[in-house]
Amino acid sequence: MTPSQVNPKEYSTIFYAGGHGAMWDFADNKELADITSEIYENGGIVAAVCHGPAGLVNVKLNNGKYLVDGKKINAFTNEEESEVKLTNVVPFLLEDKLKERGAKFEKSGLWQNHVVTDQRVITGQNPQSAKSVGEAVVKELNK
């Protein structure tokens, strides 16, 4: 299924999985950004883990603000990117870009499980956070 085949009204949640490819594939994908903003503005949940939050950096809401603006967010950190020696490979540092968009970036030490939930946006820091992000989504869905 391609993004153009997705009807956001049929979904209560969108989840962005991580992996370094997300930095190139998600960040500038306008169709995914539009789907994400519509799901969120319809009362849905937006979730992402590791590099998946790259899909959130250009999501704008109807009020013109970035989705992450003013929200507690986390993702793969600058320190983790440095540790895997890809700081000069990725198109941008995810932590820095989220902060530029107004996110209140939270993080733990390297490779620690860290999940943040703020106003139906659920983000996890790294692969170790994936299970906890899933559990947080289920908890939010059950509210």
Side-chain angles (χ1 to χ4, degrees):
M1 180 177 276
T2 64
S4 64
Q5 297 170 301
V6 172
N7 178 356
K9 291 177 179 58
E10 296 177 358
Y11 294 89
S12 61
T13 304
I14 186 167
F15 174 74
Y16 286 91
H20 278 90
M23 299 289 285
W24 289 269
D25 295 342
F26 293 161
D28 294 321
N29 189 311
K30 176 123 173 60
E31 286 180 304
L32 289 177
D34 290 346
I35 290 167
T36 302
S37 65
E38 188 168 340
I39 289 172
Y40 184 78
E41 293 192 307
N42 287 336
I45 298 164
V46 174
V49 68
C50 194
H51 286 89
L56 309 182
V57 298
N58 290 317
V59 174
K60 282 195 171 179
L61 302 176
N62 285 332
N63 64 9
K65 290 187 172 189
Y66 287 103
L67 170 68
V68 299
D69 187 19
K71 292 180 183 71
K72 296 176 190 170
I73 301 289
N74 78 4
F76 207 67
T77 67
N78 291 349
E79 293 84 3
E80 287 167 326
E81 206 67 78
S82 178
E83 186 76 12
V84 296
K85 299 182 179 11
L86 293 174
T87 300
N88 295 320
V89 175
V90 292
F92 56 90
L93 291 175
L94 188 49
E95 177 181 339
D96 289 349
K97 184 67 75 175
L98 288 164
K99 288 176 180 176
E100 285 174 25
R101 301 296 195 235
K104 297 176 183 174
F105 197 87
E106 294 190 358
K107 59 185 170 181
S108 293
L110 296 172
W111 319 119
Q112 299 300 304
N113 178 7
H114 189 128
V115 176
V116 175
T117 300
D118 192 353
Q119 301 173 55
R120 294 179 287 107
V121 178
I122 301 166
T123 49
Q125 183 169 318
N126 48 41
Q128 288 77 359
S129 308
K131 179 181 177 190
S132 297
V133 168
E135 292 167 346
V137 169
V138 170
K139 184 178 178 182
E140 193 72 23
L141 283 168
N142 287 326
K143 282 187 175 177

